Amino acid sequence: MSTPTLHKAYDSALFAQEGESLVALLATALSESINKQRDTVTNWVLPEEEYRFWTSFKKEEHSTLEFFKTVLSRSIHTHHPKYIGHQVAPTVPVSALATLLSAQLNNGMAVYEMGQASTAIEKVVVEKFTEALGWEDGDGFLTSGGTLANLTGLLAARKAKAQSDVWNDGHDTKLAILVSEEAHYCVDRAARIMGLGDQGIIQVPVDANFKIRTDLLQEYYDTASAQGLEVIAVIGSAPSTSTGIHDDLGGISAFAKANNLWFHVDAAHGGAAIFSKKYKSLLKGIDQADSVVIDGHKMMGTSSITTAVLYKNSADSYATFSQKAQYLWEQNEDPEWFNMAKRTFECTKSMMSLRFFAIWNAYGNQFFDDFVSTLYDAGRQFAILVKEAVEFELCLEPESNIVCFRYVKDLHVSEYDVVNKKIRQTLLEDGEFYIVATQLQKGYYLRTTFMNPFTTQEHMKELLKKMRVVAMKITE
Ligand SMILES: Cc1ncc(COP(=O)(O)O)c(C=O)c1O
């Protein structure tokens, strides 16, 4: 029996009215951010205080629209040009609209019948990637984030390279992977989930430019093998998260081929550069990978979370999982590209293909070229400004939109970390800019990632100016 509450919850007129108001609200926020009418990127509040606020937020006192408005006012604004923090894209509005469409349709995607359009669109989207990678027999699928995508790629590596059938029989040898010490922590997490443990995660040092030491790969591999480890894969970062530096993919690929290893590229951040005429050379060698991960919600402007896992050989994209699910499909052995759950970690999956396709449909590859090229250019521009400013020290020449630097003026080396930590915390609490930080072997560095194509040199100069003032107060 339907009830008055159920009727109200599904009232189409109310949906239209609230939906219109929400889109208007978001459009205003977008315009205020981009047109410099919003003063702050974030209004920082401590977690417990924020929690208290929401526990006292009462249904009786607030309409849905007030709820939306309140969330907006208490959230970080990735569309603000002074948002120069973590690697999350300011969503392209058309991608956000596609997300709304998918959220309301809620097609489950596990099997074709539960996601007819979005499944076929996913194949089209994957083909755009594999074409850009230059793969004739490439294939893949979309999954929920780079973390899960890296795990999925490494599971495929295990299936392809481990001598035993781990999926069915469990482990009887100690498997291992070779990975840069600068790789994103999710690779380590994936390896631990796979049971590789400390010994199986062989961290290869980086050189002075934060690139994996390809000259050490063979030695590390030989030592691991001599210790009885079965190395199955080597991973390249394109780029690594902390510094935005790209590993030498060509060099890693040659090593992988020589030793019959799986070559996985974590291009969650920079894979989108395959669409950038100016910067795609940074990814030289990526076409030699067996699997590649590219996040849409980082450098492609989609809403979160939307990730492509791509395989050079189509068959590998079917090999990872082998599961009987009688209620979903009859033919267990038949690849059936259209029954997505056979290949994805997820069973129910969001219709994330729409988020990519909406951008392609509206603006074509040009958008991705412009987006990546503009943001990587911004990284370079900022590095020049940092080098020109006597108060700051650039960590290293950026290759992408990630730039690490620190305040050093009149400081003893022993004071660098503590002062820069204070600068970062003060900026967070102030809220006008949002930048982050990273701990590198040579110290604590402030870290900016230019995610917003509307961040100009003026914003960059303002940031440095503000930091000088903050630093002076801290050090006086
Ligand atoms: C290189 C790299 N790989 C993987 C990830 C994890 O991706 P996600 O946040 O989509 O799970 C990140 C996130 O910053 C990253 O920078």
Side-chain angles (χ1 to χ4, degrees), residues 91-92 94-95 98 296 300-303 354-365 367-368:
T91 312
V92 184
V94 77
S95 187
M300 298 187 74
T302 72
S303 39
L354 274 54
R355 298 176 199 153
F356 276 120
F357 195 82
I359 301 178
W360 255 303
N361 185 55
Y363 314 110
N365 277 356
F367 171 81
F368 302 114

Side-chain angles (χ1 to χ4, degrees), residues 1 22 41 49 51 57 64 88 95 123 130 140 146-147 212 259-260 267 279 391-392 406 447 453 467:
M1 274 292 252
L22 174 61
V41 177
E49 195 185 322
Y51 173 65
F57 194 87
T64 299
V88 179
S95 187
K123 188 166 168 58
T130 54
T147 298
I212 191 170
N259 293 281
N260 189 29
Y279 289 109
E391 299 88 347
F392 299 95
R406 61 187 174 186
R447 178 172 170 273
M467 289 173 72

